[in-house]
Amino acid sequence: LNLSLVGTSFDQMVVDLLDEAYEQGVIVVAAAGNNGVNLNISKTYPACYDGHGAATVIGVGALTDDFKRPSFSNYGSDCVDIVAPGVKIFTTRNVQPGFKSQDQYAALFSGTSFAAPQVAGVVALMKALHPSLTADEALFLLQQGSTRLDESALASGFAYALNAAGT
């Protein structure tokens, strides 16, 4: 389940739904947010929710094509478990009435909401091959199959980056 949404608090209904998803074996992946803040200090949700441990929700930050943290991406090892490309991602978009453009159906966008679905897609493929895969196992495999980032990236609060070819 991909959640490309961010908030600063949760109501009990959302907590209950995340807990139930975890208990039912649903792996939840969430965008970390685009405020450029350290989530170890200022939490956002659902990426920082850890009711059952680190893998309750797999938090995803954005990464540039040269393995750097873009200024907008939230970071922090308490909430960001992995990063994926999140700058200038080619994707579809809605068409605004009266909008004039050569390519009105697609554009380049940036944000953790574009990084998280890439991780969710890899997790879905892993789950398809191993239906009993747990969230904890998925997070372990994601990190083990990812690129361990260098010291400058670690200083930005990122440790693992989804490989360009996937995990």
Side-chain angles (χ1 to χ4, degrees), residues 77 82 97 106 141:
S77 59
I82 194 164
L141 291 171

Side-chain angles (χ1 to χ4, degrees), residues 91-109:
T91 186
T92 57
R93 67 182 206 171
N94 64 339
V95 177
Q96 301 294 324
F99 182 76
K100 304 283 188 232
S101 172
Q102 283 185 304
D103 192 358
Q104 60 182 335
Y105 299 107
L108 296 174
F109 290 96

Side-chain angles (χ1 to χ4, degrees), residues 3-164:
L3 298 176
S4 285
L5 52 96
V6 176
T8 55
S9 64
F10 262 154
D11 65 26
Q12 191 58 47
M13 182 182 73
V14 176
V15 169
D16 292 345
L17 290 170
L18 288 173
D19 287 341
E20 185 175 344
Y22 182 86
E23 291 162 5
Q24 295 294 321
V26 175
I27 301 172
V28 178
V29 176
N34 303 319
N35 304 100
V37 299
N38 184 341
L39 298 180
N40 294 347
I41 297 167
S42 182
K43 305 279 188 219
T44 61
Y45 298 94
C48 292
Y49 181 66
D50 61 357
H52 297 275
T56 304
V57 175
I58 298 172
V60 181
L63 193 67
T64 65
D65 59 358
D66 60 349
F67 289 89
K68 303 284 187 232
R69 180 179 67 85
S71 62
F72 64 80
S73 182
N74 289 350
Y75 59 96
S77 59
D78 289 352
C79 301
V80 177
D81 300 300
I82 194 164
V83 293
V87 177
K88 296 182 181 175
I89 304 300
F90 188 74
T91 186
T92 57
R93 67 182 206 171
N94 64 339
V95 177
Q96 301 294 324
F99 182 76
K100 304 283 188 232
S101 172
Q102 283 185 304
D103 192 358
Q104 60 182 335
Y105 299 107
L108 296 174
F109 290 96
S110 297
T112 60
S113 289
F114 299 96
Q118 296 177 67
V119 174
V122 171
V123 170
L125 292 171
M126 293 187 324
K127 211 44 181 158
L129 290 172
H130 304 283
S132 64
L133 186 75
T134 68
D136 297 303
E137 293 167 338
L139 178 56
F140 175 80
L141 291 171
L142 279 170
Q143 291 177 338
Q144 292 304 305
S146 295
T147 300
R148 177 83 174 154
L149 298 177
D150 65 18
E151 287 302 315
S152 65
L154 290 172
S156 296
F158 291 162
Y160 299 96
L162 191 68
N163 291 329

